[in-house]
Amino acid sequence: MDEEPPGFEVDDRTVAEILDRRLEGGNDGGYLAPADAFRVLELYGIPVAGWRYAGSAEEVLAAARTGEPPLTFPLVVKAHAPAVVHKSDIGAVEVGIEDEAALAEAVAAIAHRVAEAGERLEGFLVQEMVSEGHETIFGISTDPRFGPLLMFGLGGRYVEVFRDVRFGVTPMTRTEAEEMVRGIRCVKLLDGVRGEPPADFEVLVEVLLRLAQIAVRHPRIRELDVNPFLAAPRRNQARAVDVRIRVAEPPGA
Ligand code: ADP
Ligand code: MG
């Protein structure tokens, strides 16, 4: 018998509400705010680094101190400047923050750099720092004729250098997802070089399958990029640390 794509139990209703809210003003919602984009991943059972959002520099410390489970240092802080595609290009990402004093300094430095770049700053994302793992990328794009296209490959700084990515279509079976993950040219890097432990492949396959499901069930997600997803040796340490989601009514809807 043909292999069926898996069905994950997820909170589709809340995802739909997030998309509804973004599309209230019209058919093209643009990019979700970072908090909503991370929430969509969480609702789909995709592991993300612990995060808080603050609407201003003054609120960052309070945001970092509240909520359960508490955030643990080291932290990372990033600007939310909606027009900026690559935050690190303008110095809007600070990693390896060890304490609250360093956090306050990082926020001030980022605010300064965003202003110098002439960009509008809307807030800050504070995140737990993920110290282990290879940078991988997951993506959804939509082709007007073929529908959703899934992508997996090496991410972060590697993505532009090696262009080592594979594509797949929906519905996606586990076998297809495994072939996509195993099919990148530099898969040996994930297997671990020079005595490094291998990345957990099962979590990568599952993230891909969960994204394939979101692409099928939520066609208003026109584009989604997780870059990077840090593929750690142990499953429970792998985390998405950056995500962008563009929403629009599909053509003809
Ligand atoms: P952008 O892609 O907009 O420049 P990212 O959020 O992807 O911004 O951050 C840039 C880089 O900083 C990432 O590719 C990754 O190497 C590193 N980084 C970002 N967030 C974290 C984190 N929470 N833990 C570890 N490294 C991070
Ligand atoms: Mg990124």
Side-chain angles (χ1 to χ4, degrees), residues 78 85-88 93 135 156 225-228 241-244:
K78 320 177 178 183
V85 179
H86 298 295
K87 297 175 286 295
S88 39
V93 177
E135 302 206 341
D225 265 294
V226 177
N227 184 20
V241 304
D242 189 26
V243 58
R244 269 164 76 83

Side-chain angles (χ1 to χ4, degrees), residues 63-149:
R65 282 177 188 151
T66 52
E68 281 302 325
L71 292 185
T72 50
F73 286 96
L75 297 177
V76 174
V77 65
K78 320 177 178 183
H80 173 216
V84 175
V85 179
H86 298 295
K87 297 175 286 295
S88 39
D89 283 355
I90 61 160
V93 177
E94 288 268 344
V95 299
I97 296 166
E98 296 290 350
D99 54 35
E100 289 195 347
L103 179 57
E105 271 174 42
V107 165
I110 287 176
H112 180 73
R113 289 182 210 126
V114 173
E116 293 240 289
E119 298 290 351
R120 186 169 55 89
L121 180 64
E122 271 197 13
F124 294 88
L125 188 79
V126 185
Q127 237 179 14
E128 287 183 335
M129 173 122 180
V130 180
S131 54
E132 263 192 296
H134 292 286
E135 302 206 341
T136 60
I137 181 171
F138 289 92
I140 301 172
S141 56
T142 38
D143 180 282
R145 279 183 303 166
F146 301 117
L149 204 56

Side-chain angles (χ1 to χ4, degrees), residues 89-249:
D89 283 355
I90 61 160
V93 177
E94 288 268 344
V95 299
I97 296 166
E98 296 290 350
D99 54 35
E100 289 195 347
L103 179 57
E105 271 174 42
V107 165
I110 287 176
H112 180 73
R113 289 182 210 126
V114 173
E116 293 240 289
E119 298 290 351
R120 186 169 55 89
L121 180 64
E122 271 197 13
F124 294 88
L125 188 79
V126 185
Q127 237 179 14
E128 287 183 335
M129 173 122 180
V130 180
S131 54
E132 263 192 296
H134 292 286
E135 302 206 341
T136 60
I137 181 171
F138 289 92
I140 301 172
S141 56
T142 38
D143 180 282
R145 279 183 303 166
F146 301 117
L149 204 56
L150 274 291
M151 193 253 275
F152 170 76
L154 291 185
R157 284 161 297 153
Y158 303 131
V159 73
E160 269 110 45
V161 186
F162 299 119
R163 300 204 176 280
D164 189 7
V165 297
R166 295 270 302 202
F167 294 91
V169 294
T170 59
M172 186 177 285
T173 64
R174 180 165 288 272
T175 305
E176 287 166 338
E178 284 168 0
E179 281 168 6
M180 253 177 89
V181 170
R182 283 262 163 216
I184 58 169
R185 274 182 284 122
C186 300
V187 68
K188 284 210 168 109
L189 210 63
L190 300 180
D191 274 327
V193 282
R194 303 208 174 165
E196 264 180 337
D200 183 306
F201 279 81
E202 182 49 34
V203 69
L204 302 176
V205 169
E206 199 176 310
V207 168
L208 191 54
L209 289 168
R210 286 175 184 269
L211 290 176
Q213 179 170 320
I214 208 173
V216 169
R217 294 200 185 166
H218 299 278
R220 295 183 296 172
I221 292 182
R222 306 305 289 162
E223 196 185 305
L224 180 154
D225 265 294
V226 177
N227 184 20
F229 182 91
L230 289 164
R234 264 173 296 168
R235 179 187 181 81
N236 61 5
Q237 289 171 338
R239 298 273 185 278
V241 304
D242 189 26
V243 58
R244 269 164 76 83
I245 299 178
R246 191 171 66 79
V247 300
E249 292 297 345

